[in-house]
Amino acid sequence: MALPLALASAGCSGIDAGVDYPDNLPVGEVDQHLLTPEGEASPSVGLNRFKIKPEVCQGIETHAMTQPLAPDDLARFLESIGASVQPKKARGNLYWFDFPASEKSKDSGRRFVRLRLAVLDNSEAASRDLHDALLLHGPGWWGIRRSNLAVLAPKTDLDEALAFAIKYKLVCWGVFTYAGNDDTYVVPGPYLQF
């Protein structure tokens, strides 16, 4: 089964998130965590050109979840990898996870990267919610999905999104998905759920 990934071009459109991602992301080291679709080293970061190495998630349980999850499940996972980020209820079934962002931001509103977590009825609804949210926001937005939870992350280029998702092991917790120009693309990795 081929699972494509889109590469966001420098001139891509999409709703501006108004977020400065952290300065300390290992953007230049992303390729060391990737393989070609055939499992070889030195992939290109682009459409159908890479997957995430299993070693990225060594020691982390990556089996597919079938039971419903709650926001605290993501919070416990983040705490287990050393990132203490607690959910804040936004409204109804929506929660925010605020990660520290660039310290160089002059605007206090840009000092965190806010991930939106939606709690849905089942995995199909979560998959549909993430897909629809990514298409609505446009190229450069990304997210993860696990069981009935869909997490939407602010727009950035693919290298930076991957660096963030690898640093916080989000690629181990859920299915990484990236918005291209006219579709969403799933990145094959250690955690995979249909």
Side-chain angles (χ1 to χ4, degrees), residues 20 52 56 68-69 83 96 115 120 157:
D20 295 326
I52 298 165
V56 169
L69 299 175
W96 293 327
L115 275 56
L120 288 303
D157 63 47

Side-chain angles (χ1 to χ4, degrees), residues 48-70:
N48 285 334
R49 296 196 177 146
F50 75 91
K51 63 183 179 181
I52 298 165
K53 285 183 178 179
E55 294 82 23
V56 169
C57 300
Q58 193 166 17
I60 297 174
E61 181 57 57
T62 58
H63 73 280
M65 297 299 294
T66 55
Q67 75 263 16
L69 299 175

Side-chain angles (χ1 to χ4, degrees), residues 96-167:
W96 293 327
F97 282 77
D98 293 340
F99 290 78
S102 175
E103 303 219 357
K104 294 178 185 175
S105 295
K106 293 178 181 155
D107 178 357
S108 63
R110 295 179 144 214
R111 292 198 182 132
F112 58 86
V113 176
R114 175 169 279 169
L115 275 56
R116 182 217 71 177
L117 180 139
V119 180
L120 288 303
D121 292 334
N122 54 48
S123 62
E124 293 82 15
S127 181
R128 186 174 40 258
D129 179 80
L130 181 58
H131 175 79
D132 292 347
L134 290 171
L135 289 179
L136 178 67
H137 286 79
W141 286 74
W142 62 278
I144 56 169
R145 180 187 62 81
R146 184 172 185 141
S147 183
N148 62 308
L149 302 180
V151 178
L152 177 67
K155 177 182 175 177
T156 189
D157 63 47
L158 182 56
D159 287 338
E160 196 165 47
L162 281 168
F164 188 92
I166 289 169
K167 176 181 179 174

Side-chain angles (χ1 to χ4, degrees), residues 30-36 39-43 50-58 166 171-172 187-191:
V30 166
D31 58 347
Q32 72 181 348
H33 301 291
L34 308 176
L35 295 170
T36 66
E40 298 172 7
S42 302
F50 75 91
K51 63 183 179 181
I52 298 165
K53 285 183 178 179
E55 294 82 23
V56 169
C57 300
Q58 193 166 17
I166 289 169
V171 295
C172 307
V187 178
Y191 184 84

Side-chain angles (χ1 to χ4, degrees), residues 3-18:
L3 298 171
L5 176 71
L7 174 62
S9 64
C12 71
S13 61
I15 298 172
D16 183 23

